[in-house]
Amino acid sequence: FQSWVQPFIIMFTVPLATFGGFVGLAVVHSMSLNDRYMPVQNLDVLTILGFIILAGVVVNNAILIVAQTNNLMKGVDDSGNEIEALPAREAISEAVQSRVRPIFMSMLTSVGGMLPLVLTPGSGSELYRGLGAVIVGGMIFSTLFTLLLVPVLLSLVLGLQKRFSKDSSITVKAALVS
């Protein structure tokens, strides 16, 4: 991204996903406490592996938004054709609009693939129930907040970068005049 700040915006989604993973695990844990035939679901090694998988998957959604925003600000559309470069806020809005469907498609396939691990009983299901709960909870939670918070953070960062670049150009012009 040729920026030190934009990767931090992307990495901001990982704590949100982690929180969602703990919420998903808490829901499954409370369900297992209420059903005496279901083994109690606790934090175990496979559940921790679910957090690692989750961290790798959720950053893709934020990458889609940030990369598309950068392309639109440079004047490149989805096909790689040149278009008129958009201002930052319009680029962010257009990027979210054009990437919301792929984001929801990836979230729904991940959640749909993991729901059988969480919901189906049977021998050996207790082994992967925590992993599925972490990924399902984390994906749902992080997708919603990625679509809300990443554009806001990106707008703030791009606005600050624009402001500081204007201030530095003014001081450089003032120094050249005097």
Side-chain angles (χ1 to χ4, degrees), residues 66-92:
V66 172
Q68 184 66 13
T69 300
N70 288 339
N71 286 341
L72 291 172
M73 287 174 53
K74 291 177 186 172
V76 179
D77 68 356
D78 292 339
S79 310
N81 301 326
E82 287 192 29
I83 59 170
E84 182 181 338
L86 297 176
R89 290 187 186 226
E90 288 180 37
I92 293 168

mmCIF file with all atom_site columns, all heavy atoms in Angstrom, residues 66-92:
data_model
loop_
_atom_site.group_PDB
_atom_site.id
_atom_site.type_symbol
_atom_site.label_atom_id
_atom_site.label_alt_id
_atom_site.label_comp_id
_atom_site.label_asym_id
_atom_site.label_entity_id
_atom_site.label_seq_id
_atom_site.pdbx_PDB_ins_code
_atom_site.Cartn_x
_atom_site.Cartn_y
_atom_site.Cartn_z
_atom_site.occupancy
_atom_site.B_iso_or_equiv
_atom_site.pdbx_formal_charge
_atom_site.auth_seq_id
_atom_site.auth_comp_id
_atom_site.auth_asym_id
_atom_site.auth_atom_id
_atom_site.pdbx_PDB_model_num
ATOM 1   N N   . VAL A 1 66 ? -9.651  -1.325 1.466   1.00 0.00 ? 66 VAL A N   1
ATOM 2   C CA  . VAL A 1 66 ? -8.524  -0.396 1.385   1.00 0.00 ? 66 VAL A CA  1
ATOM 3   C C   . VAL A 1 66 ? -7.908  -0.406 -0.015  1.00 0.00 ? 66 VAL A C   1
ATOM 4   O O   . VAL A 1 66 ? -7.609  0.657  -0.584  1.00 0.00 ? 66 VAL A O   1
ATOM 5   C CB  . VAL A 1 66 ? -7.469  -0.735 2.466   1.00 0.00 ? 66 VAL A CB  1
ATOM 6   C CG1 . VAL A 1 66 ? -6.218  0.081  2.276   1.00 0.00 ? 66 VAL A CG1 1
ATOM 7   C CG2 . VAL A 1 66 ? -8.051  -0.497 3.854   1.00 0.00 ? 66 VAL A CG2 1
ATOM 8   N N   . ALA A 1 67 ? -7.737  -1.574 -0.597  1.00 0.00 ? 67 ALA A N   1
ATOM 9   C CA  . ALA A 1 67 ? -7.137  -1.655 -1.931  1.00 0.00 ? 67 ALA A CA  1
ATOM 10  C C   . ALA A 1 67 ? -8.032  -1.010 -2.982  1.00 0.00 ? 67 ALA A C   1
ATOM 11  O O   . ALA A 1 67 ? -7.543  -0.285 -3.871  1.00 0.00 ? 67 ALA A O   1
ATOM 12  C CB  . ALA A 1 67 ? -6.859  -3.110 -2.292  1.00 0.00 ? 67 ALA A CB  1
ATOM 13  N N   . GLN A 1 68 ? -9.340  -1.241 -2.886  1.00 0.00 ? 68 GLN A N   1
ATOM 14  C CA  . GLN A 1 68 ? -10.247 -0.630 -3.856  1.00 0.00 ? 68 GLN A CA  1
ATOM 15  C C   . GLN A 1 68 ? -10.290 0.883  -3.693  1.00 0.00 ? 68 GLN A C   1
ATOM 16  O O   . GLN A 1 68 ? -10.350 1.610  -4.678  1.00 0.00 ? 68 GLN A O   1
ATOM 17  C CB  . GLN A 1 68 ? -11.651 -1.221 -3.718  1.00 0.00 ? 68 GLN A CB  1
ATOM 18  C CG  . GLN A 1 68 ? -12.635 -0.720 -4.730  1.00 0.00 ? 68 GLN A CG  1
ATOM 19  C CD  . GLN A 1 68 ? -12.310 -1.138 -6.149  1.00 0.00 ? 68 GLN A CD  1
ATOM 20  O OE1 . GLN A 1 68 ? -11.485 -2.005 -6.398  1.00 0.00 ? 68 GLN A OE1 1
ATOM 21  N NE2 . GLN A 1 68 ? -12.960 -0.503 -7.099  1.00 0.00 ? 68 GLN A NE2 1
ATOM 22  N N   . THR A 1 69 ? -10.224 1.368  -2.466  1.00 0.00 ? 69 THR A N   1
ATOM 23  C CA  . THR A 1 69 ? -10.177 2.817  -2.230  1.00 0.00 ? 69 THR A CA  1
ATOM 24  C C   . THR A 1 69 ? -8.928  3.419  -2.857  1.00 0.00 ? 69 THR A C   1
ATOM 25  O O   . THR A 1 69 ? -8.999  4.455  -3.528  1.00 0.00 ? 69 THR A O   1
ATOM 26  C CB  . THR A 1 69 ? -10.216 3.115  -0.721  1.00 0.00 ? 69 THR A CB  1
ATOM 27  O OG1 . THR A 1 69 ? -11.417 2.586  -0.167  1.00 0.00 ? 69 THR A OG1 1
ATOM 28  C CG2 . THR A 1 69 ? -10.146 4.602  -0.449  1.00 0.00 ? 69 THR A CG2 1
ATOM 29  N N   . ASN A 1 70 ? -7.789  2.781  -2.656  1.00 0.00 ? 70 ASN A N   1
ATOM 30  C CA  . ASN A 1 70 ? -6.546  3.278  -3.258  1.00 0.00 ? 70 ASN A CA  1
ATOM 31  C C   . ASN A 1 70 ? -6.628  3.293  -4.780  1.00 0.00 ? 70 ASN A C   1
ATOM 32  O O   . ASN A 1 70 ? -6.174  4.244  -5.419  1.00 0.00 ? 70 ASN A O   1
ATOM 33  C CB  . ASN A 1 70 ? -5.363  2.433  -2.795  1.00 0.00 ? 70 ASN A CB  1
ATOM 34  C CG  . ASN A 1 70 ? -4.997  2.687  -1.356  1.00 0.00 ? 70 ASN A CG  1
ATOM 35  O OD1 . ASN A 1 70 ? -5.332  3.723  -0.793  1.00 0.00 ? 70 ASN A OD1 1
ATOM 36  N ND2 . ASN A 1 70 ? -4.321  1.732  -0.740  1.00 0.00 ? 70 ASN A ND2 1
ATOM 37  N N   . ASN A 1 71 ? -7.191  2.242  -5.363  1.00 0.00 ? 71 ASN A N   1
ATOM 38  C CA  . ASN A 1 71 ? -7.318  2.200  -6.822  1.00 0.00 ? 71 ASN A CA  1
ATOM 39  C C   . ASN A 1 71 ? -8.213  3.319  -7.338  1.00 0.00 ? 71 ASN A C   1
ATOM 40  O O   . ASN A 1 71 ? -7.886  3.961  -8.340  1.00 0.00 ? 71 ASN A O   1
ATOM 41  C CB  . ASN A 1 71 ? -7.879  0.847  -7.270  1.00 0.00 ? 71 ASN A CB  1
ATOM 42  C CG  . ASN A 1 71 ? -6.866  -0.259 -7.166  1.00 0.00 ? 71 ASN A CG  1
ATOM 43  O OD1 . ASN A 1 71 ? -5.662  -0.014 -7.095  1.00 0.00 ? 71 ASN A OD1 1
ATOM 44  N ND2 . ASN A 1 71 ? -7.346  -1.489 -7.134  1.00 0.00 ? 71 ASN A ND2 1
ATOM 45  N N   . LEU A 1 72 ? -9.331  3.556  -6.671  1.00 0.00 ? 72 LEU A N   1
ATOM 46  C CA  . LEU A 1 72 ? -10.240 4.609  -7.118  1.00 0.00 ? 72 LEU A CA  1
ATOM 47  C C   . LEU A 1 72 ? -9.631  5.994  -6.941  1.00 0.00 ? 72 LEU A C   1
ATOM 48  O O   . LEU A 1 72 ? -9.891  6.895  -7.741  1.00 0.00 ? 72 LEU A O   1
ATOM 49  C CB  . LEU A 1 72 ? -11.568 4.502  -6.372  1.00 0.00 ? 72 LEU A CB  1
ATOM 50  C CG  . LEU A 1 72 ? -12.419 3.279  -6.712  1.00 0.00 ? 72 LEU A CG  1
ATOM 51  C CD1 . LEU A 1 72 ? -13.606 3.168  -5.771  1.00 0.00 ? 72 LEU A CD1 1
ATOM 52  C CD2 . LEU A 1 72 ? -12.875 3.321  -8.157  1.00 0.00 ? 72 LEU A CD2 1
ATOM 53  N N   . MET A 1 73 ? -8.820  6.166  -5.917  1.00 0.00 ? 73 MET A N   1
ATOM 54  C CA  . MET A 1 73 ? -8.152  7.460  -5.740  1.00 0.00 ? 73 MET A CA  1
ATOM 55  C C   . MET A 1 73 ? -7.052  7.675  -6.776  1.00 0.00 ? 73 MET A C   1
ATOM 56  O O   . MET A 1 73 ? -6.738  8.812  -7.122  1.00 0.00 ? 73 MET A O   1
ATOM 57  C CB  . MET A 1 73 ? -7.580  7.562  -4.324  1.00 0.00 ? 73 MET A CB  1
ATOM 58  C CG  . MET A 1 73 ? -8.651  7.756  -3.278  1.00 0.00 ? 73 MET A CG  1
ATOM 59  S SD  . MET A 1 73 ? -8.054  7.711  -1.577  1.00 0.00 ? 73 MET A SD  1
ATOM 60  C CE  . MET A 1 73 ? -6.755  8.893  -1.594  1.00 0.00 ? 73 MET A CE  1
ATOM 61  N N   . LYS A 1 74 ? -6.488  6.577  -7.281  1.00 0.00 ? 74 LYS A N   1
ATOM 62  C CA  . LYS A 1 74 ? -5.482  6.672  -8.345  1.00 0.00 ? 74 LYS A CA  1
ATOM 63  C C   . LYS A 1 74 ? -6.118  6.781  -9.724  1.00 0.00 ? 74 LYS A C   1
ATOM 64  O O   . LYS A 1 74 ? -5.436  7.106  -10.692 1.00 0.00 ? 74 LYS A O   1
ATOM 65  C CB  . LYS A 1 74 ? -4.572  5.443  -8.318  1.00 0.00 ? 74 LYS A CB  1
ATOM 66  C CG  . LYS A 1 74 ? -3.667  5.388  -7.127  1.00 0.00 ? 74 LYS A CG  1
ATOM 67  C CD  . LYS A 1 74 ? -2.862  4.102  -7.141  1.00 0.00 ? 74 LYS A CD  1
ATOM 68  C CE  . LYS A 1 74 ? -2.057  3.956  -5.872  1.00 0.00 ? 74 LYS A CE  1
ATOM 69  N NZ  . LYS A 1 74 ? -1.414  2.644  -5.779  1.00 0.00 ? 74 LYS A NZ  1
ATOM 70  N N   . GLY A 1 75 ? -7.401  6.451  -9.834  1.00 0.00 ? 75 GLY A N   1
ATOM 71  C CA  . GLY A 1 75 ? -8.088  6.537  -11.118 1.00 0.00 ? 75 GLY A CA  1
ATOM 72  C C   . GLY A 1 75 ? -8.096  5.232  -11.880 1.00 0.00 ? 75 GLY A C   1
ATOM 73  O O   . GLY A 1 75 ? -7.989  5.225  -13.104 1.00 0.00 ? 75 GLY A O   1
ATOM 74  N N   . VAL A 1 76 ? -8.221  4.109  -11.170 1.00 0.00 ? 76 VAL A N   1
ATOM 75  C CA  . VAL A 1 76 ? -8.276  2.793  -11.803 1.00 0.00 ? 76 VAL A CA  1
ATOM 76  C C   . VAL A 1 76 ? -9.547  2.103  -11.321 1.00 0.00 ? 76 VAL A C   1
ATOM 77  O O   . VAL A 1 76 ? -9.820  2.059  -10.129 1.00 0.00 ? 76 VAL A O   1
ATOM 78  C CB  . VAL A 1 76 ? -7.032  1.944  -11.417 1.00 0.00 ? 76 VAL A CB  1
ATOM 79  C CG1 . VAL A 1 76 ? -7.089  0.572  -12.044 1.00 0.00 ? 76 VAL A CG1 1
ATOM 80  C CG2 . VAL A 1 76 ? -5.755  2.661  -11.797 1.00 0.00 ? 76 VAL A CG2 1
ATOM 81  N N   . ASP A 1 77 ? -10.320 1.538  -12.272 1.00 0.00 ? 77 ASP A N   1
ATOM 82  C CA  . ASP A 1 77 ? -11.552 0.855  -11.876 1.00 0.00 ? 77 ASP A CA  1
ATOM 83  C C   . ASP A 1 77 ? -11.299 -0.637 -11.669 1.00 0.00 ? 77 ASP A C   1
ATOM 84  O O   . ASP A 1 77 ? -10.162 -1.098 -11.690 1.00 0.00 ? 77 ASP A O   1
ATOM 85  C CB  . ASP A 1 77 ? -12.676 1.094  -12.885 1.00 0.00 ? 77 ASP A CB  1
ATOM 86  C CG  . ASP A 1 77 ? -12.437 0.442  -14.232 1.00 0.00 ? 77 ASP A CG  1
ATOM 87  O OD1 . ASP A 1 77 ? -11.356 -0.149 -14.434 1.00 0.00 ? 77 ASP A OD1 1
ATOM 88  O OD2 . ASP A 1 77 ? -13.333 0.511  -15.086 1.00 0.00 ? 77 ASP A OD2 1
ATOM 89  N N   . ASP A 1 78 ? -12.392 -1.403 -11.469 1.00 0.00 ? 78 ASP A N   1
ATOM 90  C CA  . ASP A 1 78 ? -12.288 -2.842 -11.198 1.00 0.00 ? 78 ASP A CA  1
ATOM 91  C C   . ASP A 1 78 ? -11.595 -3.600 -12.324 1.00 0.00 ? 78 ASP A C   1
ATOM 92  O O   . ASP A 1 78 ? -10.903 -4.583 -12.086 1.00 0.00 ? 78 ASP A O   1
ATOM 93  C CB  . ASP A 1 78 ? -13.676 -3.449 -10.981 1.00 0.00 ? 78 ASP A CB  1
ATOM 94  C CG  . ASP A 1 78 ? -14.322 -2.962 -9.707  1.00 0.00 ? 78 ASP A CG  1
ATOM 95  O OD1 . ASP A 1 78 ? -13.593 -2.503 -8.812  1.00 0.00 ? 78 ASP A OD1 1
ATOM 96  O OD2 . ASP A 1 78 ? -15.555 -3.045 -9.612  1.00 0.00 ? 78 ASP A OD2 1
ATOM 97  N N   . SER A 1 79 ? -11.791 -3.162 -13.550 1.00 0.00 ? 79 SER A N   1
ATOM 98  C CA  . SER A 1 79 ? -11.223 -3.859 -14.706 1.00 0.00 ? 79 SER A CA  1
ATOM 99  C C   . SER A 1 79 ? -9.789  -3.439 -15.013 1.00 0.00 ? 79 SER A C   1
ATOM 100 O O   . SER A 1 79 ? -9.177  -3.983 -15.918 1.00 0.00 ? 79 SER A O   1
ATOM 101 C CB  . SER A 1 79 ? -12.081 -3.594 -15.946 1.00 0.00 ? 79 SER A CB  1
ATOM 102 O OG  . SER A 1 79 ? -13.431 -3.839 -15.677 1.00 0.00 ? 79 SER A OG  1
ATOM 103 N N   . GLY A 1 80 ? -9.288  -2.451 -14.309 1.00 0.00 ? 80 GLY A N   1
ATOM 104 C CA  . GLY A 1 80 ? -7.948  -1.957 -14.575 1.00 0.00 ? 80 GLY A CA  1
ATOM 105 C C   . GLY A 1 80 ? -7.932  -0.810 -15.574 1.00 0.00 ? 80 GLY A C   1
ATOM 106 O O   . GLY A 1 80 ? -6.869  -0.342 -15.975 1.00 0.00 ? 80 GLY A O   1
ATOM 107 N N   . ASN A 1 81 ? -9.114  -0.365 -15.995 1.00 0.00 ? 81 ASN A N   1
ATOM 108 C CA  . ASN A 1 81 ? -9.221  0.762  -16.918 1.00 0.00 ? 81 ASN A CA  1
ATOM 109 C C   . ASN A 1 81 ? -9.043  2.068  -16.163 1.00 0.00 ? 81 ASN A C   1
ATOM 110 O O   . ASN A 1 81 ? -9.395  2.175  -14.993 1.00 0.00 ? 81 ASN A O   1
ATOM 111 C CB  . ASN A 1 81 ? -10.581 0.758  -17.621 1.00 0.00 ? 81 ASN A CB  1
ATOM 112 C CG  . ASN A 1 81 ? -10.808 -0.512 -18.400 1.00 0.00 ? 81 ASN A CG  1
ATOM 113 O OD1 . ASN A 1 81 ? -9.878  -1.087 -18.953 1.00 0.00 ? 81 ASN A OD1 1
ATOM 114 N ND2 . ASN A 1 81 ? -12.056 -0.960 -18.438 1.00 0.00 ? 81 ASN A ND2 1
ATOM 115 N N   . GLU A 1 82 ? -8.517  3.063  -16.880 1.00 0.00 ? 82 GLU A N   1
ATOM 116 C CA  . GLU A 1 82 ? -8.344  4.364  -16.257 1.00 0.00 ? 82 GLU A CA  1
ATOM 117 C C   . GLU A 1 82 ? -9.670  5.106  -16.214 1.00 0.00 ? 82 GLU A C   1
ATOM 118 O O   . GLU A 1 82 ? -10.418 5.119  -17.187 1.00 0.00 ? 82 GLU A O   1
ATOM 119 C CB  . GLU A 1 82 ? -7.303  5.181  -17.017 1.00 0.00 ? 82 GLU A CB  1
ATOM 120 C CG  . GLU A 1 82 ? -5.890  4.681  -16.802 1.00 0.00 ? 82 GLU A CG  1
ATOM 121 C CD  . GLU A 1 82 ? -4.854  5.654  -17.321 1.00 0.00 ? 82 GLU A CD  1
ATOM 122 O OE1 . GLU A 1 82 ? -5.129  6.871  -17.333 1.00 0.00 ? 82 GLU A OE1 1
ATOM 123 O OE2 . GLU A 1 82 ? -3.782  5.196  -17.689 1.00 0.00 ? 82 GLU A OE2 1
ATOM 124 N N   . ILE A 1 83 ? -9.950  5.690  -15.064 1.00 0.00 ? 83 ILE A N   1
ATOM 125 C CA  . ILE A 1 83 ? -11.121 6.530  -14.877 1.00 0.00 ? 83 ILE A CA  1
ATOM 126 C C   . ILE A 1 83 ? -10.661 7.822  -14.216 1.00 0.00 ? 83 ILE A C   1
ATOM 127 O O   . ILE A 1 83 ? -9.475  7.987  -13.903 1.00 0.00 ? 83 ILE A O   1
ATOM 128 C CB  . ILE A 1 83 ? -12.197 5.831  -13.998 1.00 0.00 ? 83 ILE A CB  1
ATOM 129 C CG1 . ILE A 1 83 ? -11.608 5.486  -12.615 1.00 0.00 ? 83 ILE A CG1 1
ATOM 130 C CG2 . ILE A 1 83 ? -12.742 4.597  -14.665 1.00 0.00 ? 83 ILE A CG2 1
ATOM 131 C CD1 . ILE A 1 83 ? -12.635 5.030  -11.601 1.00 0.00 ? 83 ILE A CD1 1
ATOM 132 N N   . GLU A 1 84 ? -11.591 8.717  -13.991 1.00 0.00 ? 84 GLU A N   1
ATOM 133 C CA  . GLU A 1 84 ? -11.244 9.943  -13.278 1.00 0.00 ? 84 GLU A CA  1
ATOM 134 C C   . GLU A 1 84 ? -10.989 9.610  -11.809 1.00 0.00 ? 84 GLU A C   1
ATOM 135 O O   . GLU A 1 84 ? -11.759 8.894  -11.177 1.00 0.00 ? 84 GLU A O   1
ATOM 136 C CB  . GLU A 1 84 ? -12.398 10.941 -13.389 1.00 0.00 ? 84 GLU A CB  1
ATOM 137 C CG  . GLU A 1 84 ? -12.110 12.267 -12.729 1.00 0.00 ? 84 GLU A CG  1
ATOM 138 C CD  . GLU A 1 84 ? -13.289 13.229 -12.846 1.00 0.00 ? 84 GLU A CD  1
ATOM 139 O OE1 . GLU A 1 84 ? -14.121 13.047 -13.745 1.00 0.00 ? 84 GLU A OE1 1
ATOM 140 O OE2 . GLU A 1 84 ? -13.362 14.136 -11.999 1.00 0.00 ? 84 GLU A OE2 1
ATOM 141 N N   . ALA A 1 85 ? -9.871  10.094 -11.283 1.00 0.00 ? 85 ALA A N   1
ATOM 142 C CA  . ALA A 1 85 ? -9.528  9.841  -9.883  1.00 0.00 ? 85 ALA A CA  1
ATOM 143 C C   . ALA A 1 85 ? -10.573 10.490 -8.978  1.00 0.00 ? 85 ALA A C   1
ATOM 144 O O   . ALA A 1 85 ? -11.010 11.614 -9.219  1.00 0.00 ? 85 ALA A O   1
ATOM 145 C CB  . ALA A 1 85 ? -8.144  10.388 -9.571  1.00 0.00 ? 85 ALA A CB  1
ATOM 146 N N   . LEU A 1 86 ? -10.975 9.744  -7.966  1.00 0.00 ? 86 LEU A N   1
ATOM 147 C CA  . LEU A 1 86 ? -11.998 10.226 -7.050  1.00 0.00 ? 86 LEU A CA  1
ATOM 148 C C   . LEU A 1 86 ? -11.369 10.814 -5.791  1.00 0.00 ? 86 LEU A C   1
ATOM 149 O O   . LEU A 1 86 ? -10.308 10.366 -5.357  1.00 0.00 ? 86 LEU A O   1
ATOM 150 C CB  . LEU A 1 86 ? -12.926 9.077  -6.648  1.00 0.00 ? 86 LEU A CB  1
ATOM 151 C CG  . LEU A 1 86 ? -13.750 8.432  -7.755  1.00 0.00 ? 86 LEU A CG  1
ATOM 152 C CD1 . LEU A 1 86 ? -14.526 7.246  -7.203  1.00 0.00 ? 86 LEU A CD1 1
ATOM 153 C CD2 . LEU A 1 86 ? -14.699 9.437  -8.372  1.00 0.00 ? 86 LEU A CD2 1
ATOM 154 N N   . PRO A 1 87 ? -12.042 11.788 -5.170  1.00 0.00 ? 87 PRO A N   1
ATOM 155 C CA  . PRO A 1 87 ? -11.596 12.256 -3.857  1.00 0.00 ? 87 PRO A CA  1
ATOM 156 C C   . PRO A 1 87 ? -11.739 11.133 -2.822  1.00 0.00 ? 87 PRO A C   1
ATOM 157 O O   . PRO A 1 87 ? -12.454 10.154 -3.041  1.00 0.00 ? 87 PRO A O   1
ATOM 158 C CB  . PRO A 1 87 ? -12.541 13.410 -3.532  1.00 0.00 ? 87 PRO A CB  1
ATOM 159 C CG  . PRO A 1 87 ? -13.259 13.740 -4.784  1.00 0.00 ? 87 PRO A CG  1
ATOM 160 C CD  . PRO A 1 87 ? -13.163 12.559 -5.684  1.00 0.00 ? 87 PRO A CD  1
ATOM 161 N N   . ALA A 1 88 ? -11.082 11.291 -1.700  1.00 0.00 ? 88 ALA A N   1
ATOM 162 C CA  . ALA A 1 88 ? -10.983 10.217 -0.710  1.00 0.00 ? 88 ALA A CA  1
ATOM 163 C C   . ALA A 1 88 ? -12.342 9.707  -0.242  1.00 0.00 ? 88 ALA A C   1
ATOM 164 O O   . ALA A 1 88 ? -12.603 8.502  -0.252  1.00 0.00 ? 88 ALA A O   1
ATOM 165 C CB  . ALA A 1 88 ? -10.157 10.685 0.484   1.00 0.00 ? 88 ALA A CB  1
ATOM 166 N N   . ARG A 1 89 ? -13.220 10.582 0.165   1.00 0.00 ? 89 ARG A N   1
ATOM 167 C CA  . ARG A 1 89 ? -14.513 10.126 0.702   1.00 0.00 ? 89 ARG A CA  1
ATOM 168 C C   . ARG A 1 89 ? -15.374 9.452  -0.353  1.00 0.00 ? 89 ARG A C   1
ATOM 169 O O   . ARG A 1 89 ? -16.050 8.470  -0.069  1.00 0.00 ? 89 ARG A O   1
ATOM 170 C CB  . ARG A 1 89 ? -15.258 11.278 1.344   1.00 0.00 ? 89 ARG A CB  1
ATOM 171 C CG  . ARG A 1 89 ? -14.572 11.697 2.626   1.00 0.00 ? 89 ARG A CG  1
ATOM 172 C CD  . ARG A 1 89 ? -15.372 12.705 3.374   1.00 0.00 ? 89 ARG A CD  1
ATOM 173 N NE  . ARG A 1 89 ? -14.564 13.144 4.504   1.00 0.00 ? 89 ARG A NE  1
ATOM 174 C CZ  . ARG A 1 89 ? -15.031 13.255 5.723   1.00 0.00 ? 89 ARG A CZ  1
ATOM 175 N NH1 . ARG A 1 89 ? -16.272 12.972 5.971   1.00 0.00 ? 89 ARG A NH1 1
ATOM 176 N NH2 . ARG A 1 89 ? -14.246 13.651 6.694   1.00 0.00 ? 89 ARG A NH2 1
ATOM 177 N N   . GLU A 1 90 ? -15.363 9.977  -1.566  1.00 0.00 ? 90 GLU A N   1
ATOM 178 C CA  . GLU A 1 90 ? -16.125 9.331  -2.635  1.00 0.00 ? 90 GLU A CA  1
ATOM 179 C C   . GLU A 1 90 ? -15.512 7.969  -2.969  1.00 0.00 ? 90 GLU A C   1
ATOM 180 O O   . GLU A 1 90 ? -16.246 7.017  -3.250  1.00 0.00 ? 90 GLU A O   1
ATOM 181 C CB  . GLU A 1 90 ? -16.151 10.217 -3.874  1.00 0.00 ? 90 GLU A CB  1
ATOM 182 C CG  . GLU A 1 90 ? -17.028 11.435 -3.742  1.00 0.00 ? 90 GLU A CG  1
ATOM 183 C CD  . GLU A 1 90 ? -17.002 12.273 -5.005  1.00 0.00 ? 90 GLU A CD  1
ATOM 184 O OE1 . GLU A 1 90 ? -16.947 11.698 -6.103  1.00 0.00 ? 90 GLU A OE1 1
ATOM 185 O OE2 . GLU A 1 90 ? -17.045 13.509 -4.877  1.00 0.00 ? 90 GLU A OE2 1
ATOM 186 N N   . ALA A 1 91 ? -14.193 7.878  -2.945  1.00 0.00 ? 91 ALA A N   1
ATOM 187 C CA  . ALA A 1 91 ? -13.527 6.612  -3.227  1.00 0.00 ? 91 ALA A CA  1
ATOM 188 C C   . ALA A 1 91 ? -13.856 5.568  -2.166  1.00 0.00 ? 91 ALA A C   1
ATOM 189 O O   . ALA A 1 91 ? -14.094 4.395  -2.485  1.00 0.00 ? 91 ALA A O   1
ATOM 190 C CB  . ALA A 1 91 ? -12.010 6.822  -3.315  1.00 0.00 ? 91 ALA A CB  1
ATOM 191 N N   . ILE A 1 92 ? -13.894 5.986  -0.913  1.00 0.00 ? 92 ILE A N   1
ATOM 192 C CA  . ILE A 1 92 ? -14.242 5.058  0.170   1.00 0.00 ? 92 ILE A CA  1
ATOM 193 C C   . ILE A 1 92 ? -15.678 4.579  0.009   1.00 0.00 ? 92 ILE A C   1
ATOM 194 O O   . ILE A 1 92 ? -15.963 3.382  0.118   1.00 0.00 ? 92 ILE A O   1
ATOM 195 C CB  . ILE A 1 92 ? -14.023 5.716  1.547   1.00 0.00 ? 92 ILE A CB  1
ATOM 196 C CG1 . ILE A 1 92 ? -12.539 5.961  1.789   1.00 0.00 ? 92 ILE A CG1 1
ATOM 197 C CG2 . ILE A 1 92 ? -14.609 4.860  2.658   1.00 0.00 ? 92 ILE A CG2 1
ATOM 198 C CD1 . ILE A 1 92 ? -12.253 6.847  2.982   1.00 0.00 ? 92 ILE A CD1 1
#
